[in-house]
Amino acid sequence: MESDDGKSSSLSSLFSYSNLVHAVSGATGSVIAISVFYPLDTVRTRLQVDDHRHAKNTFLVLKEILKEEGLEGVYLGWFPVVSALCCSNFVYFYTYNGLKSSVLGGRKKASPIVDLTLAFLSGVVNVLVTTPLWVVNTRLKLQGANLHTAHFNKKHGAFKSPRKHYNGIIDCILKIISAEGVGKLWGGTVPSILLATNPAIQFMIYEALKRYFKRYMDVTELSGLMYFILGAVAKTAATVITYPLQVIQSRLRAGFAKEENTQSLKQNILHLIRTRGVGSLYKGLEAKLLQTVLTAALMFAIYEKIAAFIFKIMGLQ
C-alpha cells in the first residue's frame, strides 16, 4: 500500500502545475532571448560549417553576410530555430523540474551532483525527442546562404544557389525522409547526447551559484541582473568545455560532407584535425560565446522572473 502511495506521489510530482509553469517560462524566455541575439547564431553556424569562409572575426562575418545577403540573410531560418528552441526548452525545463521534484520530494536543497545528473538525464530526453527539429532548423538556416565552400552548393561553385530547396519545416522533414531516410532526422544524435553535458554543466554551475548568492545575500529572490550574470557565467564554462562536439554536431546536421556522415564521432574529430587543423574544432567559438552566453543569460533572467510572477499571482510562492 505504501508502495502505491509512493508511486502516486512520484507521478503527481512529475505531472504538476509547478513543472508546467517552469516549462512555459523556460520556453518563453528562450524564444525572446534567441530572437534578440539571432544574428550571432547565424554567424556561428556559418563558421562551423563553411570551411572556406576567410573572415574569421564574428563582426566581419556578420558584415559580410549583410553585404552579400542583406538583413534577411542574418535572420535566415529564424522561425524553425524559434520553433525548435521553444519545444526543446519546454521539454528540457519540464523534464528537469519534474525529475527534481520527484527525486527531492518536499526537500528544497539539492547537491551539485544531483543537479548535474538530473540535468544530464533531462538533456538526453530532450535530444531524443527534439533532434529532428534541430536537423531541420540547420538545413533551413543554411538554405539560401552564400556559402564559400564550393562543394556545399549544387553547382557553379561558391556564391550560387544552395543545393537543397525546402518549403518550410514539414516539407523539409518529408524531403529528408524521402532522399536520405528517416535515420537522417536524428543526424548528429551521438554528439548531441554527449552535448547533454553542456546544459548539465550549465545547470549545475547555475544552481550552485544561485544557492550560494541567495544564502550570501540572505534573500529569497535575486535581481534580474544577478540572474543574467549567473546565467552568463554558467553558460560560458559549459560552452568552452563542450564546443568541439558542437562543431561536429552542426556539420553532421547540415549533411553536406558524405565522408563525415559515414564516420564515427572520433573519426570526425580526427578528420577535422587532419584536414583543417586543431583550430577547426573551435571555429566560430567567439560567435558562439557571444550568442549563447548572452542568450542563456537573458533566457535565465526572463525565465526566473516569469516563473516567480506566475507563482506569486497564483499564491504558490
Side-chain angles (χ1 to χ4, degrees), residues 41-57 60-62 64-65 68-69 73 76 138 141-154 157-163 243 246-257 260 272 275-276 279-285 287:
D41 192 55
T42 298
V43 171
R44 185 266 308 173
T45 304
R46 301 291 182 90
L47 284 171
Q48 288 180 335
V49 172
D50 200 354
D51 293 325
H52 295 168
R53 184 173 289 277
H54 296 298
K56 307 299 182 186
N57 178 276
L60 284 178
V61 175
L62 187 59
E64 218 173 50
I65 296 172
E68 295 170 3
E69 306 167 43
L76 271 176
T138 300
K141 278 174 71 178
L142 293 171
Q143 178 170 258
N146 284 331
L147 298 176
H148 291 208
T149 306
H151 71 268
F152 287 174
N153 298 309
K154 189 173 182 180
F159 301 106
K160 300 299 177 182
S161 300
R163 70 185 188 104
Y243 191 73
Q246 296 183 37
V247 173
I248 300 297
Q249 178 194 59
S250 289
R251 297 176 73 89
L252 289 175
R253 284 175 174 175
F256 286 136
E260 292 177 14
L272 261 187
T275 58
R276 305 291 174 191
S280 63
L281 294 176
Y282 286 90
K283 192 178 181 186
L285 178 59

Side-chain angles (χ1 to χ4, degrees), residues 295-310:
T295 300
L298 183 58
M299 183 273 290
F300 271 118
I302 295 171
Y303 155 68
E304 294 283 3
K305 290 305 179 182
I306 289 177
F309 175 73
I310 295 175

Side-chain angles (χ1 to χ4, degrees), residues 202-307:
Q202 174 188 345
F203 263 76
M204 179 186 71
I205 295 172
Y206 178 76
E207 292 290 345
L209 289 173
K210 188 169 75 170
R211 282 194 293 268
Y212 171 79
F213 280 102
K214 279 185 176 181
R215 188 169 61 250
Y216 178 77
M217 300 170 75
D218 194 25
V219 294
T220 56
E221 185 71 21
L222 298 173
S223 68
L225 177 61
M226 200 65 198
Y227 284 128
F228 185 94
I229 293 170
L230 298 186
V233 171
K235 193 61 178 180
T236 298
T239 300
V240 172
I241 293 169
T242 62
Y243 191 73
L245 290 172
Q246 296 183 37
V247 173
I248 300 297
Q249 178 194 59
S250 289
R251 297 176 73 89
L252 289 175
R253 284 175 174 175
F256 286 136
K258 290 183 180 179
E259 184 180 357
E260 292 177 14
N261 290 331
T262 58
Q263 293 176 335
S264 67
L265 175 63
K266 180 181 177 182
Q267 288 173 327
N268 266 297
I269 291 174
L270 294 175
H271 172 72
L272 261 187
I273 293 173
R274 187 173 61 251
T275 58
R276 305 291 174 191
V278 177
S280 63
L281 294 176
Y282 286 90
K283 192 178 181 186
L285 178 59
E286 179 194 4
K288 179 64 177 177
L289 281 174
L290 278 172
Q291 178 264 319
T292 199
V293 170
L294 291 173
T295 300
L298 183 58
M299 183 273 290
F300 271 118
I302 295 171
Y303 155 68
E304 294 283 3
K305 290 305 179 182
I306 289 177

Side-chain angles (χ1 to χ4, degrees), residues 129-150:
V129 172
T130 66
T131 287
L133 286 174
W134 288 111
V135 171
V136 168
N137 125 37
T138 300
R139 299 291 180 94
L140 293 177
K141 278 174 71 178
L142 293 171
Q143 178 170 258
N146 284 331
L147 298 176
H148 291 208
T149 306

